[in-house]
Each structure stands twice: as structure tokens, then as C-alpha cells.
Amino acid sequence: MEAKVAQSLLLSPTGSEKIVRGPSGSVRFSRRFREQDRIHLLVSAQCQPKTSLSNRRKTVSCSYKNFPASILESGGLQASFDDALILKNKSQEIEPHLNGRCIYLVGMMGSGKTTVGKILSQVIGYSFSDSDTWVEEDLGGTSVSEVFKLYGEGFFREKETEALRKLSLMHRLVISTGGGAVVRPINWKYMQKGISVWLDVPVEALAHRISAVGTGSRPLLNHDSGDAYKKTYTRLSTLLEERIEAYANANARVSVEDIAAKLGHRDVCNLTPAAIAIEALEKIEGFLKEENGNFAF
């Protein structure tokens, strides 16, 4: 279960605004773009409903908390508006060099793979998919938690691998993977056809986020009565210890602690999904430059 939250700060031109592209490729808005237009766009962008696209086997949802009311104040508004432009410009720089390769987001449960993946797919012009959703649909709509109960984790992992195999044959997708997908070497064989990005979130933040919304849909965390946070933290710590070397195989690592430090936040939970998506694009750009010997940019 993931908390309902803001999915994206991607802004589309509407109404009275006019986009002007400068000689350097930067984007600016003419004076006709009004302040109320900015507010309308930001509010609509953060309140998108949950949707399902069966033809592409994907379900879009979110995992980050709602933006605070201060986002509508002048300072916060401008920062969010700037983030949207950064996302757009950075994605336009990167997309031609991806050559249609898929982007695989890996990381612990609750790390925001779905939310950040949705933003990335929008700005890059890709479609979004979720490996768990593929498993569920292949089993007639049976939820992941039910699959664990009925058939066990081993059966689920086999189905997860089959889903990743099928996804690896496709192009132009941002794919959210299950938290444990990284532990099977064969899964890396499929993900290496694309670009893998590890969303690295501290266990404390994950435990707070997951325990706040409940662990019923998390088969590896679902537990009986007791302190939800302590039990969740203990279990997540064990899982991370088991998986951290596998996560490190990713082509790029996005540390939310590093982002928070760079932006001057003491709490990683204050980061917006847009800020994390920007960092992901920068890390992908760094990987592409290294891959191409900096000649492609």
C-alpha cells in the first residue's frame, strides 16, 4: 500500500502562457504567463488520480506525502516551477542518448520507485510499467501479497523473473521493479539491456513511511500486533543488509541523503519527488557520459 501523494511537477503549456526558447536551448515563459496559471498547473499536477492502463500492464500510484501548503507561496511556487523546467530541459538533453533503452528503477520497498518512475516517464516521453503488476495480471489479477500466501516467495520470484524477461524485450519504458528483484543474477541479465538506477533511501525513512500506511500489502513485512515502526525497521534493516551489494550493481545510484544535504534539508522526507527525479536524470546523464567517453554530449 502506498500513500496518495503528488505524482509530478511536469507542467504542460496551457492558457495564456507562451514558451520562448533561447539560443542555448533554455526555456523561458513570456510575461503573459500569469501567476494564477502557475498555481493552477502546480495544483493539478500534484492531484492526479490513480489510473490503470491494461494494454501496457501498468498501474500508476504514488508513495510520497502531499506537498505542504507553503508550496503555493511565492518562494515555494517558484522553486517548484523551476524544478519542472529543469526536468524538461535535462530530459531533452538525455533522451536522444538513451537510444530507446529501458530505465529500471531498483531499491527497497517504499523507496518511491513508482512515483519517481512516473515523473521520469513523463518528462522523457517513455511509458511506465511495474514488474509486480505484470505478475499480478499474469495470475489473473491475484495481488502480490496473495501470491506469497498461496504459492510462496519462490513461486513469486520465478514469475518476477519471467516478467523482467518480457519487459527486457521492449523499449522506451521506465520500469519499477520489486524490492527483491535484485537478488537473482538472472534478473540483472535482463536489466542490463537497459539502464538501472538505485533509489537509495535510509531505512529510518522507509520504516516511517511504510508503517504509517500499514504493512498489509507488504508480504515480507506483514506482522501481528506490536510496534509497527520497530518491527518494520528491524525487518527492513535485515533485508537491506542482504540486498545492498546487489543494489550496488545498478548503473547509477540516487542517494536521497545526498540530495537533502545538497538542498539544505535536515529530513529526507521533506524532499519532493521532482527533486529526486532531477537527481536521477543527472545520474543517468553521468552514466551515459562515462559510457560514451563524454563524446556524445
Side-chain angles (χ1 to χ4, degrees):
M1 178 186 301
E2 296 193 350
K4 294 181 180 179
V5 286
Q7 289 187 3
S8 166
L9 291 178
L10 177 61
L11 308 183
S12 301
T14 62
S16 61
E17 72 273 25
K18 179 179 179 182
I19 294 180
V20 180
R21 186 173 297 279
S24 64
S26 61
V27 176
R28 61 185 176 86
F29 286 81
S30 71
R31 293 180 181 177
R32 295 179 61 196
F33 185 89
R34 299 173 303 182
E35 192 70 11
Q36 59 264 37
D37 292 323
R38 292 186 181 183
I39 295 176
H40 170 74
L41 288 170
L42 286 168
V43 172
S44 63
Q46 65 172 307
C47 297
Q48 299 177 20
K50 186 174 182 179
T51 60
S52 176
L53 301 179
S54 58
N55 290 338
R56 289 175 180 169
R57 297 191 179 204
K58 63 182 181 179
T59 300
V60 175
S61 60
C62 313
S63 62
Y64 285 85
K65 65 180 183 179
N66 290 315
F67 289 118
S70 60
I71 195 69
L72 297 180
E73 298 175 0
S74 59
L77 176 61
Q78 184 62 46
S80 298
F81 185 72
D82 288 345
D83 279 355
L85 293 183
I86 293 171
L87 282 166
K88 182 174 182 178
N89 290 336
K90 183 63 67 176
S91 64
Q92 289 177 340
E93 294 174 6
I94 291 173
E95 191 277 333
H97 304 286
L98 293 172
N99 296 321
R101 283 181 290 178
C102 293
I103 295 173
Y104 295 86
L105 298 181
V106 302
M108 294 284 286
M109 62 184 82
S111 59
K113 298 185 292 288
T114 296
T115 305
V116 175
K118 179 62 169 65
I119 296 175
L120 292 176
S121 66
Q122 288 180 328
V123 297
I124 296 174
Y126 275 24
S127 296
F128 176 80
S129 193
D130 186 309
S131 62
D132 281 355
T133 301
W134 276 69
V135 172
E136 291 174 341
E137 293 192 2
D138 281 344
L139 295 174
T142 305
S143 69
V144 170
S145 58
E146 285 299 312
V147 172
F148 269 73
K149 290 178 183 178
L150 295 172
Y151 308 108
E153 182 177 358
F155 177 85
F156 170 78
R157 296 301 175 196
E158 290 291 337
K159 289 295 183 181
E160 181 177 59
T161 294
E162 179 62 16
L164 290 172
R165 184 190 69 79
K166 293 176 181 177
L167 287 165
S168 73
L169 300 175
M170 302 179 183
H171 298 88
R172 300 184 66 81
L173 292 175
V174 175
I175 301 163
S176 172
T177 67
V182 297
V183 300
R184 302 190 81 189
I186 191 171
N187 292 344
W188 283 106
K189 173 186 175 182
Y190 299 132
M191 291 191 289
Q192 283 170 354
K193 295 182 180 180
I195 299 172
S196 52
V197 180
W198 172 22
L199 299 187
D200 184 8
V201 180
V203 172
E204 294 86 353
L206 295 175
H208 278 297
R209 187 177 299 164
I210 294 172
S211 60
V213 298
T215 59
S217 64
R218 309 282 186 181
L220 294 180
L221 293 181
N222 197 15
H223 42 61
D224 298 325
S225 60
D227 189 303
Y229 172 78
K230 288 183 179 179
K231 290 188 175 182
T232 300
Y233 176 85
T234 299
R235 181 59 175 144
L236 287 174
S237 297
T238 300
L239 288 173
L240 180 59
E241 185 176 352
E242 295 171 353
R243 299 171 179 175
I244 192 165
E245 290 186 5
Y247 287 136
N249 289 324
N251 299 127
R253 171 177 171 261
V254 174
S255 167
V256 298
E257 287 185 309
D258 289 348
I259 302 172
K262 184 163 55 176
L263 296 179
H265 293 302
R266 298 182 62 182
D267 188 347
V268 299
C269 293
N270 291 330
L271 295 176
T272 67
I276 298 171
I278 289 171
E279 183 76 4
L281 289 174
E282 291 178 350
K283 295 296 185 178
I284 291 171
E285 180 181 39
F287 167 75
L288 291 171
K289 286 182 176 181
E290 182 177 349
E291 182 183 54
N292 293 284
N294 291 315
F295 295 118
F297 288 78

